[in-house]
Amino acid sequence: LLEKQQVIASQGATITALCTLAEMRDNETGNHIRRTQNYVRVLAGRLRDHPRFGADLDDETIGLLYKSAPLHDIGKVAIPDAILQKPGSLTAEEWVVMKRHADFGRDALAQAEKDLGESAGFLRYAREIAFGHHEKWDGSGYPQGLIGESIPLSARLMAVADVYDALISKRVYKPAYPHHEALAIIREGRGGHFDPDIVDGLLSIEVSFRAIADAYRDANQDGETT
């Protein structure tokens, strides 16, 4: 039992260190990390009884997804500041560089997974999420252009969580969308950008998403998510 507790503690320390490093360079906040990991947790919990997902979403897996979700954009630490922190839209050439954060994250987490071995099983999900959360259900995403269920479930869950949070968050290049507009945009992406059953799962617990967004609201966003 003591050994297991030590492993859990080391996993938490590893994630905290990596996420702190990422936050130092990215314009996104620690609250984004907390919101998205909680979205993933409640969404996975909602889908655990779904016939498509039940076999893959037991308590242990949901816990590992929650633990690994904060590492979804860890690859951004390798993106130049001029691109990562640019206040306006990226050029086509800059966008090519930015998209490489998925590869960088996958490679770094794969090496960490290899070095730590079985004691770092959570890194499998972190690697899947980092590499795959920009894939789209219809195959139009990146970096591999995967289609449908060839995209890991962990990445499909994060795709919905990450886009929802991006929509409701204020950025230098865009205002924050209210909750109902963010849901409408995600609904439009059902079967295109997103796994349709995962979108349905979100819509069935949208109150929970809104509550998480309000609980971990950014300092520059006033009032509740509307």
Side-chain angles (χ1 to χ4, degrees), residues 49-66:
D49 295 326
H50 192 286
R52 281 186 58 213
F53 309 119
D56 298 313
L57 293 176
D58 55 21
D59 286 344
E60 181 179 4
T61 299
I62 292 173
L64 291 173
L65 289 171
Y66 175 81

Side-chain angles (χ1 to χ4, degrees), residues 4 35 57 91 95 129 145 149:
K4 185 175 182 180
R35 289 192 301 265
L57 293 176
T91 66
W95 184 238
I129 289 170
E149 293 191 352

Side-chain angles (χ1 to χ4, degrees), residues 85-193:
Q85 300 175 8
K86 184 177 179 178
S89 299
L90 299 180
T91 66
E93 293 78 12
E94 290 169 338
W95 184 238
V96 169
V97 176
M98 175 63 89
K99 289 195 292 186
R100 294 195 65 199
H101 80 272
D103 300 276
F104 294 143
R106 184 272 315 270
D107 293 347
L109 291 166
Q111 185 60 53
E113 187 181 12
K114 179 180 177 182
D115 292 344
L116 294 175
E118 293 182 4
S119 66
F122 74 102
L123 287 174
R124 167 201 159 189
Y125 295 106
R127 170 175 48 81
E128 289 178 352
I129 289 170
F131 193 47
H133 72 286
H134 291 294
E135 300 286 358
K136 297 183 179 180
W137 184 254
D138 63 5
S140 64
Y142 70 89
Q144 294 182 287
L146 300 178
I147 298 175
E149 293 191 352
S150 62
I151 306 167
L153 175 56
S154 57
R156 283 179 271 148
L157 290 165
M158 176 53 75
V160 171
D162 195 42
V163 170
Y164 171 81
D165 201 66
L167 290 169
I168 66 159
S169 299
K170 182 179 179 180
R171 296 287 183 264
V172 292
Y173 53 85
K174 63 171 277 295
Y177 287 94
H179 173 75
H180 71 277
E181 289 187 22
L183 290 183
I185 292 170
I186 288 177
R187 189 181 290 109
E188 289 177 4
R190 183 185 184 277
H193 190 154

Side-chain angles (χ1 to χ4, degrees), residues 29-49:
T29 69
N31 282 344
H32 167 72
I33 289 172
R34 284 182 281 275
R35 289 192 301 265
T36 51
Q37 75 174 158
N38 278 286
Y39 299 148
V40 167
R41 178 180 56 80
V42 298
L43 187 54
R46 176 66 181 87
L47 295 171
R48 65 177 302 159
D49 295 326

